[in-house]
Amino acid sequence: MSRVTIEDIVSMRKTEINETIMKKPLRELKREIKDLKEPPSFLRALEGNRAALIYEYKRASPSASEISLKSLSEMMELFMEFADAVSVLTERSHFNGGIEYLREASEYEIPVMMKDFLVHEYQIYQARAAGAASVLLIPEVYPDLEAGIETCRELSMEPLVECRSAIDIYRAIEAGAEVIGVNNRNLEDFTVDLERTRALAPLVPDEVILVSESGVMGPEDAEILLNYGADALLIGTAVMSSPEPRELLEEIAEVAALCKPGRKRYGGDEFFEQFA
Ligand SMILES: O=P(O)(O)OC[C@@H](O)[C@@H](O)c1c[nH]c2ccccc12
């Protein structure tokens, strides 16, 4: 069977969202949101003076197939002890996620991010109505990045703008992003390369929070990425699939506590030389 592509997932999400909107119009979501309390701040959770850790409730993925059937409550027990923020997959067909997990996670006093392929503004309202403090925005996938960031902020949320290239980072900064993610996993072929963070980190201004996502299998990877200049890490598969997740999170916490945030900057042709 040919491997699913990001295009397949995005086109499926568009169909699903259009069906959802027919069943539950945006005005109903807006009414629900009016009665909700503000979510905990995602931005403040990541702005601490050491490397912040975002752990992800991720039950499956196209590259790993089934990862874990551990319950959300079991994982939240660990996340509440070790995470500064939590990410929850809500895409069902390929990640076995669901908005019900997001709703359950947002009951806890910690910022929760909707990790999904957002293709429509409706999904930003869905996230807020489920108690989210953040959503993932992918520039090539979300139709209008600047408007999406503005809608998030109107709803007391701060998005994580996921960048895969220098031009993505340029666009994200131009659009006013305050949290930029670099995904070490290529969403076209699902290969992981931690060097992606090394190459792109120097392009992210100090005042923007850089989250390195994907491919962190242990404290060694965590140290590498933090030394490349990431301010935060987003980790899913390793913690979901570990037989001893507490031990793993303790080791990563130790590395995070020792790392001094800060990014090198490119001088002259250094940026281009690495691709020569
Ligand atoms: O399981 P990992 O390698 O720790 O990766 C977690 C997270 O970065 C990954 O799930 C992710 C990053 N960006 C995404 C966009 C859509 C779906 C999933 C993702």
Side-chain angles (χ1 to χ4, degrees):
M1 185 183 107
S2 69
R3 187 194 285 280
V4 70
T5 65
I6 184 171
E7 287 75 19
D8 299 331
I9 300 174
V10 167
S11 119
M12 186 181 279
R13 289 308 272 132
K14 284 180 179 158
T15 309
E16 288 166 352
I17 290 305
N18 289 330
E19 285 163 6
T20 305
I21 293 173
M22 302 294 282
K23 289 182 206 140
K24 182 169 191 175
L26 182 56
R27 67 175 177 282
E28 275 189 45
L29 279 183
K30 288 184 175 179
R31 222 185 349 260
E32 282 176 19
I33 290 167
K34 273 204 178 59
D35 305 337
L36 293 180
K37 66 180 176 26
E38 301 266 291
S41 168
F42 183 65
L43 201 52
R44 253 204 311 281
L46 302 185
E47 279 175 341
N49 56 8
R50 54 143 181 81
L53 296 167
I54 307 171
Y55 285 108
E56 183 164 90
Y57 187 64
K58 182 177 186 182
R59 295 153 51 87
S61 74
S63 46
S65 304
E66 183 177 283
I67 296 170
S68 167
L69 292 177
K70 283 178 189 160
S71 70
L72 184 104
S73 56
E74 180 184 347
M75 296 315 296
M76 285 306 291
E77 243 181 77
L78 268 177
F79 293 171
M80 288 307 286
E81 192 176 338
F82 290 95
D84 296 290
V86 169
S87 167
V88 175
L89 260 299
T90 54
E91 198 278 344
R92 196 177 301 281
S93 315
H94 302 87
F95 290 86
N96 200 11
I99 200 144
E100 65 276 18
Y101 301 122
L102 176 68
R103 198 168 288 113
E104 190 182 338
S106 69
E107 301 293 314
Y108 294 73
E109 275 311 304
I110 190 168
V112 181
M113 172 171 66
M114 174 193 261
K115 181 59 86 67
D116 203 327
F117 297 84
L118 273 68
V119 296
H120 195 293
E121 184 182 56
Y122 182 89
Q123 291 170 282
I124 298 178
Y125 285 89
Q126 270 187 313
R128 181 70 183 86
S134 176
V135 298
L136 179 77
L137 294 180
I138 302 175
E140 288 94 65
V141 170
Y142 193 77
D144 180 339
L145 183 60
E146 194 158 354
I149 292 173
E150 195 181 321
T151 304
C152 286
R153 289 176 181 157
E154 283 164 7
L155 296 171
S156 309
M157 297 193 292
E158 184 60 34
L160 186 154
V161 179
E162 183 167 291
C163 298
R164 309 192 303 175
S165 64
I167 187 69
D168 270 0
I169 290 181
Y170 172 78
R171 279 198 203 123
I173 293 165
E174 284 297 292
E178 294 195 34
V179 183
I180 282 181
V182 168
N183 191 348
N184 300 309
R185 178 173 291 107
N186 178 326
L187 288 183
E188 301 300 335
D189 60 13
F190 301 103
T191 53
V192 169
D193 180 4
L194 303 188
E195 292 304 287
R196 190 181 291 247
T197 293
R198 185 191 55 71
L200 295 178
L203 304 179
V204 178
D206 288 336
E207 63 275 13
V208 172
I209 292 169
L210 170 60
V211 182
S212 181
E213 306 172 74
S214 303
V216 176
M217 300 317 287
E220 302 76 14
D221 296 330
E223 187 167 14
I224 288 169
L225 293 170
L226 293 171
N227 288 336
Y228 283 159
D231 300 303
L233 303 176
L234 195 154
I235 306 168
T237 303
V239 63
M240 293 297 296
S241 58
S242 169
E244 294 296 336
R246 173 172 293 279
E247 198 178 313
L248 173 70
L249 269 54
E250 279 166 352
E251 289 168 355
I252 292 174
E254 272 169 43
V255 163
L258 293 174
C259 277
K260 288 175 290 306
R263 281 189 278 282
K264 77 178 278 291
R265 293 293 165 219
Y266 285 121
D269 292 338
E270 270 182 73
F271 174 72
F272 302 99
E273 279 158 10
Q274 68 188 315
F275 301 105

